[in-house]
Amino acid sequence: EYFNHAFETAMILTKLKADSVSIVAALLHDVVEDTSIGTKEVETEFGEDVKNLVEGLTKLEKVSFSNKEDYSAENIRKIVLAMTKDIRVIFIKLADRLHNMETLKYLNEQKQKEVAQETRKIYAPIAQKLGLYDIKGQLEDLAMRILEPESYKQLREVISEKREEREKNATKLIRKVKNFLKKEGVDSEVEGRAKYFYSIYKKMREKRKDFSQIYDLTAIRIITKNIPDAYKALG
């Protein structure tokens, strides 16, 4: 259904705790481009803020991502960020791209690869720049499934736990580390996450490890107030 994509894009934004204007704009983000409805009608019905976001998204769609030599991925990322007057446009665009990646099976193989490459080079780094690490991880994993299908399949077989289970285990581990450091009198912040497949795969390639050597599935960061405490935490 035509409405399904708009609805799922809006649902992704609710998980990011986006404001109501962003969610309304997400529901309407393809309307101006794909129907006879114009921006004036959007403004009349939903207000200027929503109209501006929808307009910003329509302009973004017109940015060319073709592989010209002078059009490096970094240049395109700069163009996308520079032309966005309201950062909420980028948030909606990332949610839009995430749902597009989740439904790539409806496109032909060549188009799937093009969209996956564009996602990895343009949109995942933008998500990282904005601190949306969960969105970045999901985009990279979905791109990997298309671009390195065999490696993705092998990783899935080796890492038998589902992502939700790995996240729960990461949370338990963080709690244990926090409690231990508190008992030892180390004033610190502890955060962490279950790693995404593409992140694990990149590390494997960098360190030239094979699938049987994968143990690095959880990332934990400990931030201390001073250097002696950092060494104490490490110990």
Side-chain angles (χ1 to χ4, degrees), residues 6-163:
F7 177 75
E8 292 300 335
T9 301
M11 287 305 292
I12 290 165
L13 285 167
T14 65
K15 289 170 191 168
L16 295 176
K17 296 183 169 56
D19 64 355
S20 58
V21 171
S22 300
I23 291 164
V24 173
L27 288 167
L28 298 168
H29 77 275
D30 282 335
V31 164
V32 172
E33 195 178 2
D34 295 343
T35 74
S36 58
I37 300 292
T39 51
K40 282 186 179 177
E41 287 170 89
V42 172
E43 185 173 11
T44 303
E45 292 289 339
F46 300 101
E48 189 182 4
D49 280 355
V50 171
K51 184 266 291 185
N52 289 339
L53 292 183
V54 172
E55 211 166 41
L57 286 155
T58 306
K59 283 178 188 170
L60 267 191
E61 285 300 321
K62 290 173 181 163
V63 176
S64 171
F65 290 130
S66 55
N67 290 326
K68 298 172 188 171
E69 285 177 23
D70 60 336
Y71 244 41
S72 71
E74 182 59 28
N75 278 345
I76 296 168
R77 288 198 290 273
K78 283 177 182 171
I79 290 165
V80 168
L81 291 168
M83 70 183 284
T84 307
K85 291 176 186 173
D86 189 327
I87 199 68
R88 291 177 296 183
V89 171
I90 298 287
F91 278 69
I92 300 165
K93 183 64 193 171
L94 289 169
D96 166 63
R97 177 51 61 117
L98 180 55
H99 187 251
N100 284 339
M101 289 298 293
E102 288 170 346
T103 53
L104 272 188
K105 63 183 178 184
Y106 298 108
L107 302 178
N108 65 53
E109 193 178 336
Q110 181 56 35
K111 189 66 181 168
Q112 285 183 31
K113 285 180 179 174
E114 284 172 19
V115 174
Q117 281 283 14
E118 183 182 283
T119 298
R120 183 183 283 177
K121 288 183 179 178
I122 312 297
Y123 291 106
I126 287 174
Q128 183 173 11
K129 276 181 195 251
L130 295 176
L132 299 171
Y133 300 111
D134 194 40
I135 298 286
K136 172 193 176 273
Q138 289 180 68
L139 289 174
E140 286 181 336
D141 275 12
L142 289 163
M144 184 187 174
R145 193 166 68 181
I146 301 297
L147 300 172
E148 291 96 10
E150 284 306 310
S151 297
Y152 183 85
K153 190 180 170 189
Q154 280 180 282
L155 265 176
R156 283 199 72 159
E157 285 168 3
V158 171
I159 304 166
S160 55
E161 285 179 309
K162 288 187 177 174
R163 175 148 196 92

